[in-house]
Amino acid sequence: MAKVKVDGTEIEVRDDMTILQACEEAGKEVPRFCYHDRLSIAGNCRMCLVDVEGSPKPVASCAMPVNEGMSIHTNTQKVKKAREGVMEFLLINHPLDCPVCDQGGECDLQDQTVAYGSGKSRFDLNKRAVEEKYMGPLIKTYMTRCIHCTRCIRFSEEVAGVKELGAVNRGENMEITTYLEKSIDSEMSANVIDLCPVGALTSKPYQFEARPWELKKTETIDVMDAVGSNIRVDTYGWKVKRILPRLNEDINEEWISDKSRYACDGLLNQRLDTPYIKHNGKLNSSDWNDALNECLSLIKNHRPDEVAFIIGDFIDLETSYLIKQLSNGLNIKNIECRQEGVKLPYSDRSQYIFNSTINGIEESDCILILGSNVREEAPIINTRIRKHLLNKDIPIGLIGEKFDLTYDYQHLGNDLNVLKSISDGDNSFCQKLKKAKKPMIIIGQSVLNRDDSLNTYSLIENIVHQYPFLDSSWNGVNTLQLSASRVGALDMGCYQTSKSLNDIYSAAENGTIKLLFSFGADEIDFSKFKGSKIIYMGSHGERGASNADIILPSAAYTEKDGIYINTEGRLQYAYQASFPPSEAKTDWKIINQISEMLNLNWGLVTLDDVRKQIKNQYPNLFDHVSVGRPYKRLLANKSTKIAFEKKEIDSSIKDFYLTDSISRLSKTMAECSQIRRELRNGRST
């Protein structure tokens, strides 16, 4: 620790801190453009100049480490004059087009110009003009505004892991661009928009949509994957205009994926805003009384064993709870939340969550990835792994398809027999696992939804108990879930203990299942239910609605309050940012209304009533996530003879941008998908 003085106040800071960080510790604000605490230090802008006693001139505080006894001044006349000089240089070529710039109202340059800018410029020559660059369908460029802070370049290389953004030329002729002006091939590309301190990089889909002060801002949770990134939803009226990341050090830090950010335009397309009933093969609009009465008639006319409940990816905890209560009240055993078809008979929570936690990735010293393309299944988790690898060189092994994960790893093969060789101690990666003190295994859904998943999981458990994955303070066994609703629904017991989705498919094909109630489940194979009646409760007219006999329109995730439990088992609250269109209702209210018509007498009036029941029945869900959650064996017997029906592991996600009903209806996501296909096909050829 070093003792330094900041504006006369003595403080103690870590030896590895910079002067800028020390000033922040002392509560002194230092202006900056190029510096960002999650990126490497560039020292480009010089806006962070401070006066250090003994130094002949002001120093760049972002690049200067602290020394014992250093005396720093942040508000002297010398410092003020130096910053004003820097600002004058920065504004020489800037177009000063705030009235038409989308960054207006949220611009660091704007804010700091008020503090340090001059009312006039001494520059009397023509301003520089730079042609727009193409960076893909998400990023709008106006490079004449660029101040060469290089935040975008450093983010792309260090966080996103794609070295496709760089600079050409030097001095004032320097230009930021992509290689041959191609689209940035990254799931995290749009975070450079947030990082840009001026209006050089802005949001292309959001261009000229609204001013920041016109928008209602709601802090909530992302549900486009199972990570539970913290986001802010900005709305104008009932329309979602944009989604931005919020800071959460334990989950997403301050990043979100492009899908989380831009799939929101799919919220407005093909919305279900009124009930529908199919007559003579055609869906006709109806009212709620007729639709619900028709549902009741179907439920009452079928035996419990002829009815199946399937829960979709966006269903909140409260709705999952009521669906489970409804199944119990009607004695319906065919209930399933695992749309991928996972067959494992879970007996403990530790078997289906990310036990190490997302933040705990940075504690690991060896990672084994099994059957998961982490980059597309959970981009935020992938950036955590990359960040950890850059800070600490640890071995990473992958069993499954070979992907570009944006970091180096050892590809052990796309063969489940590799897993067997690790279990038998015959693989080169075994030594790395033995040497590790906190190894992790990340289990993807692609190995859990196979017909031989029990054999696979038996090997996983053998490996877990052979190597130091578990001790009193560490649990390195991690299942990576893909959908926001999954952990909560599993916690509620919304699955068949000894069966899977395939059993429901088989029962439907042989005529045993005659009524399907799909709760936002758009990813199932509806061709299996050709002989069944289908009730669909959801927000969009997509796969589920097109196959339904009755449609009950519900709210999208931005249009309701709800609880979601992410892949690490963390309970989070989502808040309503908009409201459902027309006659659409909140999910839990629909289920509750059905229960009242069936005389189940739950006595629920408000959402708080539902939450109180959940808390009384499942108090453990409201506990904080803890690293080292005890792991319980799933399989009682250690398997000695393991055989696989198919050795290769298939990927769970075929197209990152088109994985659900909202993103498939997003024009922006469709464009991203098309461009990625073109890029990768071009590269492969």
Side-chain angles (χ1 to χ4, degrees):
M1 302 293 283
K3 290 183 178 179
V4 299
K5 284 185 178 180
V6 180
D7 292 339
T9 303
E10 188 174 81
I11 62 169
E12 197 173 34
V13 298
R14 296 197 317 270
D15 293 327
D16 60 347
M17 278 190 170
T18 63
I19 293 176
L20 188 150
Q21 291 170 323
C23 292
E24 289 184 335
E25 286 286 310
K28 302 293 182 179
E29 184 177 355
V30 178
R32 83 291 300 265
F33 289 116
C34 68
Y35 176 80
H36 192 279
D37 56 5
R38 300 191 194 277
L39 305 176
S40 61
I41 294 170
N44 294 334
C45 71
R46 317 311 268 191
M47 196 66 202
C48 64
L49 294 174
V50 297
D51 191 15
V52 178
E53 290 185 10
S55 176
K57 58 183 179 179
V59 301
S61 61
C62 70
M64 180 69 72
V66 295
N67 289 317
E68 178 69 31
M70 184 177 277
S71 184
I72 306 160
H73 300 280
T74 67
N75 55 6
T76 63
Q77 190 62 31
K78 181 180 178 181
V79 171
K80 186 173 183 296
K81 188 176 180 181
R83 292 174 181 172
E84 288 175 350
V86 170
M87 181 60 69
E88 187 175 6
F89 274 110
L90 289 176
L91 294 178
I92 280 176
N93 282 310
H94 197 82
L96 304 178
D97 58 345
C98 300
V100 297
C101 179
D102 270 331
Q103 196 86 343
E106 301 174 317
C107 179
D108 292 345
L109 183 64
Q110 223 175 33
D111 296 339
Q112 294 184 38
T113 299
V114 173
Y116 303 102
S118 175
K120 60 182 180 179
S121 175
R122 291 175 287 177
F123 187 72
D124 202 26
L125 301 175
N126 292 327
K127 289 182 178 256
R128 175 195 64 174
V130 182
E131 291 184 359
E132 286 193 41
K133 310 298 181 183
Y134 178 75
M135 294 187 183
L138 307 179
I139 304 169
K140 172 69 177 177
T141 67
Y142 199 108
M143 303 314 290
T144 303
R145 300 170 183 156
C146 181
I147 62 171
H148 304 155
C149 71
T150 68
R151 281 187 178 183
C152 53
I153 296 175
R154 285 175 282 148
F155 171 84
S156 298
E157 291 188 1
E158 297 165 13
V159 181
V162 291
K163 297 182 179 181
E164 298 175 348
L165 201 61
V168 295
N169 305 324
R170 299 181 66 183
E172 77 164 356
N173 295 318
M174 176 178 167
E175 297 181 21
I176 308 295
T177 184
T178 56
Y179 178 67
L180 298 178
E181 294 200 22
K182 288 186 175 182
S183 176
I184 302 174
D185 188 14
S186 170
E187 302 77 18
M188 306 288 290
S189 65
N191 286 285
V192 300
I193 297 168
D194 302 328
L195 287 171
C196 184
V198 297
L201 304 177
T202 57
S203 173
K204 191 176 285 187
Y206 175 68
Q207 187 181 19
F208 306 141
E209 285 289 323
R211 287 296 194 180
W213 54 83
E214 298 176 313
L215 301 173
K216 175 190 171 187
K217 302 170 178 63
T218 306
E219 296 185 346
T220 183
I221 303 299
D222 173 55
V223 301
M224 303 308 291
D225 56 26
V227 173
S229 298
N230 286 218
I231 59 172
R232 192 188 84 196
V233 178
D234 290 358
T235 55
Y236 188 88
W238 79 278
K239 295 182 179 180
V240 176
K241 289 296 183 181
R242 64 177 182 178
I243 291 177
L244 299 175
R246 285 193 295 126
L247 179 66
N248 189 311
E249 296 289 356
D250 291 329
I251 303 176
N252 58 303
E253 297 182 301
E254 56 188 274
W255 323 121
I256 55 172
S257 73
D258 291 347
K259 184 166 62 175
S260 299
R261 188 187 296 265
Y262 284 121
C264 58
D265 64 336
L267 292 168
L268 304 175
N269 296 330
Q270 292 184 213
R271 289 303 306 271
L272 300 174
D273 57 1
T274 189
Y276 287 86
I277 301 175
K278 184 176 285 186
H279 293 294
N280 300 321
K282 183 180 179 181
L283 285 168
N284 300 298
S285 59
S286 178
D287 57 37
W288 275 103
N289 284 333
D290 288 345
L292 290 176
N293 283 324
E294 191 73 18
C295 290
L296 257 64
S297 177
L298 287 174
I299 292 172
K300 290 178 178 179
N301 290 334
H302 290 89
R303 300 192 310 271
D305 63 323
E306 296 176 334
V307 183
F309 287 179
I310 301 180
I311 299 173
D313 293 345
F314 298 139
I315 299 299
D316 52 84
L317 187 73
E318 296 94 334
T319 304
S320 292
Y321 172 76
L322 294 184
I323 293 170
K324 180 62 176 176
Q325 295 298 101
L326 184 63
S327 71
N328 290 340
L330 299 174
N331 199 29
I332 293 170
K333 306 297 183 183
N334 302 308
I335 180 171
E336 191 57 72
C337 65
R338 300 168 296 181
Q339 289 193 78
E340 292 87 9
V342 175
K343 302 169 181 63
L344 299 179
Y346 295 124
S347 58
D348 187 77
R349 199 183 198 215
S350 65
Q351 296 155 355
Y352 56 81
I353 68 170
F354 204 92
N355 292 287
S356 302
T357 73
I358 297 169
N359 197 28
I361 291 171
E362 299 183 34
E363 297 181 43
S364 177
D365 52 3
C366 182
I367 301 176
L368 176 62
I369 303 172
L370 175 61
S372 174
N373 180 359
V374 190
R375 179 177 174 181
E376 295 193 353
E377 293 175 11
I380 293 298
I381 290 179
N382 199 60
T383 60
R384 279 286 184 145
I385 297 173
R386 175 174 172 80
K387 173 188 175 184
H388 184 40
L389 191 62
L390 292 178
N391 294 330
K392 185 179 179 182
D393 188 17
I394 65 169
I396 299 178
L398 170 67
I399 304 175
E401 287 188 54
K402 192 173 184 178
F403 304 105
D404 178 9
L405 297 180
T406 72
Y407 45 80
D408 294 330
Y409 63 87
Q410 181 181 349
H411 186 230
L412 303 176
N414 188 18
D415 189 332
L416 280 172
N417 284 320
V418 175
L419 191 67
K420 189 174 188 304
S421 69
I422 294 176
S423 176
D424 296 336
D426 298 331
N427 193 283
S428 60
F429 202 75
C430 296
Q431 295 302 316
K432 298 173 183 177
L433 290 173
K434 287 178 181 178
K435 291 179 181 178
K437 294 182 179 179
K438 290 186 175 182
M440 287 176 55
I441 181 170
I442 299 176
I443 308 166
Q445 294 297 305
S446 60
V447 298
L448 301 180
N449 61 10
R450 297 161 52 108
D451 292 334
D452 55 8
S453 59
L454 288 175
N455 288 344
T456 305
Y457 211 87
S458 178
L459 285 177
I460 293 171
E461 294 205 325
N462 293 345
I463 292 168
V464 164
H465 290 86
Q466 280 181 25
Y467 303 99
F469 286 94
L470 304 169
D471 62 31
S472 58
S473 61
W474 179 253
N475 186 340
V477 187
N478 303 289
T479 299
L480 182 58
Q481 299 292 349
L482 301 181
S483 69
S485 67
R486 188 64 44 80
V487 172
L490 290 173
D491 286 335
M492 298 294 156
C494 299
Y495 63 96
Q496 307 167 103
T497 304
S498 58
K499 296 181 180 180
S500 69
L501 183 62
N502 286 338
D503 294 292
I504 294 178
Y505 285 160
S506 299
E509 287 183 309
N510 64 31
T512 305
I513 298 294
K514 298 178 180 180
L515 175 62
L516 169 66
F517 206 140
S518 169
F519 301 93
D522 289 283
E523 314 310 314
I524 61 176
D525 185 356
F526 285 96
S527 67
K528 306 290 187 181
F529 299 94
K530 289 181 178 179
S532 307
K533 291 288 185 179
I534 299 175
I535 303 171
Y536 177 75
M537 184 186 81
S539 58
H540 285 74
E542 228 244 342
R543 296 172 181 174
S546 64
N547 288 279
D549 295 283
I550 302 173
I551 296 176
L552 307 177
S554 65
Y557 74 99
T558 56
E559 300 161 359
K560 60 183 178 180
D561 292 330
I563 296 172
Y564 291 91
I565 301 178
N566 74 347
T567 189
E568 60 180 357
R570 185 186 303 271
L571 185 140
Q572 296 176 295
Y573 289 87
Y575 296 99
Q576 183 178 0
S578 180
F579 46 89
S582 192
E583 297 180 46
K585 295 183 179 183
T586 314
D587 306 53
W588 78 268
K589 288 183 178 180
I590 299 173
I591 308 299
N592 192 49
Q593 192 169 349
I594 292 173
S595 75
E596 290 175 351
M597 297 175 73
L598 291 168
N599 297 317
L600 295 180
N601 302 318
W602 291 342
L604 302 174
V605 179
T606 66
L607 185 61
D608 283 340
D609 294 336
V610 183
R611 290 175 174 176
K612 286 176 183 176
Q613 280 199 15
I614 297 173
K615 198 166 186 177
N616 289 334
Q617 194 166 341
Y618 304 96
N620 61 301
L621 300 184
F622 293 80
D623 295 339
H624 294 291
V625 171
S626 58
V627 176
R629 182 181 301 276
Y631 180 81
K632 295 182 180 180
R633 274 191 176 272
L634 176 61
L635 305 174
N637 301 319
K638 178 179 177 179
S639 299
T640 55
K641 295 182 179 180
I642 299 292
F644 300 108
E645 298 177 4
K646 181 184 176 185
K647 299 176 183 178
E648 296 78 17
I649 303 170
D650 297 324
S651 176
S652 294
I653 292 182
K654 304 303 180 184
D655 191 327
F656 168 74
Y657 296 105
L658 305 174
T659 56
D660 53 78
S661 58
I662 295 175
S663 60
R664 285 193 292 267
L665 294 175
S666 164
K667 181 181 177 182
T668 306
M669 293 295 97
E671 190 174 354
C672 289
S673 175
Q674 181 182 351
I675 290 173
R676 167 165 284 189
R677 286 196 304 271
E678 291 172 355
L679 277 172
R680 297 190 172 180
N681 290 336
R683 289 174 185 176
S684 64
T685 55

